Amino acid sequence: MLAFPLPAVAFFNLLPIAQITFDLPETVSHSRTRGGDVLSADIGDRLWTGEVTLGKITREEYADVRPLIDLLRGAGASFEIHDPTRPYPRGDLGGATLGASTPGIAALLNARELTITGLPPGYVISRDDMIGFQYAAAPRRYALHQVVTGAVANGVGTTPAIEVIPPIAPGVTVGEAVTLVRPPCKAMILPNSTAPAKARAIIRDGATFRWRQTFR
């Protein structure tokens, strides 16, 4: 029996994606005072979300992915997803420089800044790179962050402060392994968001679903 979250190799990497969105919408409340000031406040976690549209595929190809999509429409189901438009750091396209290095969190400076160690000396983390790590247990939680302020690793492979969004969650600890190549988050298919493919002889086209990050 398949276990959740479905690993990327067992679902997401199999999808013949024609279009995908990968967004981090704000969760902000605004109010106005009698004096005309506009006050804002975060009202919840910012979660990655988006939509996947499959391209034209054969009936047999669709048969390989449709049951998995239908499985993931159930309560409690989840899968690993990464941003295919940003699979590698900007300064290391293909991930060859990172090689067999095993980076990890060296320090947590505040809710938006951390340092990373275990990198090749001089390794570049750039703005818009994606970094991920897992933390906690039962359930194991997936953190996925976008780099706002990059950094360069020093001679022993440790970076200065790197600023990220969304904020780093409570419970993350120093020493957690950091993923820089195809870092995933855990996601669920949103209820009533799936549209099946349209059938055209042996061709199937236009299947879509919307997804949102989950920590469960």
Side-chain angles (χ1 to χ4, degrees):
M1 185 171 67
L2 296 175
F4 302 120
L6 291 186
V9 295
F11 174 63
F12 183 69
N13 292 355
L14 305 178
L15 300 178
I17 297 172
Q19 297 181 39
I20 186 171
T21 58
F22 215 99
D23 189 28
L24 187 64
E26 65 278 4
T27 53
V28 176
S29 172
H30 292 283
S31 60
R32 188 174 63 186
T33 68
R34 293 183 63 182
D37 293 327
V38 177
L39 306 178
S40 63
D42 291 321
I43 57 174
D45 293 330
R46 295 182 68 179
L47 301 176
W48 293 100
T49 188
E51 182 174 72
V52 172
T53 301
L54 304 188
K56 292 183 179 180
I57 54 178
T58 67
R59 178 175 55 202
E60 290 303 311
E61 290 171 329
Y62 188 44
D64 283 336
V65 298
R66 177 171 57 181
L68 296 173
I69 294 173
D70 288 341
L71 171 68
L72 289 166
R73 295 168 71 178
S78 61
F79 61 98
E80 292 181 359
I81 186 172
H82 61 85
D83 187 347
T85 70
R86 294 177 284 185
Y88 305 103
R90 292 168 58 193
D92 186 18
L93 298 180
T97 303
L98 184 64
S101 299
T102 55
I105 298 175
L108 296 165
L109 307 179
N110 51 59
R112 289 182 8 210
E113 292 182 303
L114 75 164
T115 64
I116 298 175
T117 192
L119 295 167
Y123 195 83
V124 179
I125 303 293
S126 304
R127 179 174 293 165
D128 199 45
D129 285 351
M130 303 292 280
I131 64 174
F133 42 86
Q134 297 181 32
Y135 65 100
R140 188 72 167 156
R141 294 174 181 260
Y142 289 57
L144 181 64
H145 296 274
Q146 179 184 33
V147 174
V148 176
T149 303
V152 179
N154 62 20
V156 295
T158 301
T159 70
I162 296 171
E163 183 176 354
V164 298
I165 53 174
I168 300 166
V172 177
T173 59
V174 169
E176 300 286 6
V178 172
T179 302
L180 299 174
V181 175
R182 300 185 183 90
C185 70
K186 188 190 298 187
M188 58 177 288
I189 293 179
L190 291 176
N192 304 310
S193 74
T194 302
K198 300 176 178 63
R200 302 177 183 176
I202 64 170
I203 298 298
R204 301 293 182 266
D205 187 22
T208 65
F209 62 86
R210 289 188 291 116
W211 61 272
R212 180 180 295 150
Q213 182 180 10
T214 179
F215 291 115
R216 300 300 302 171

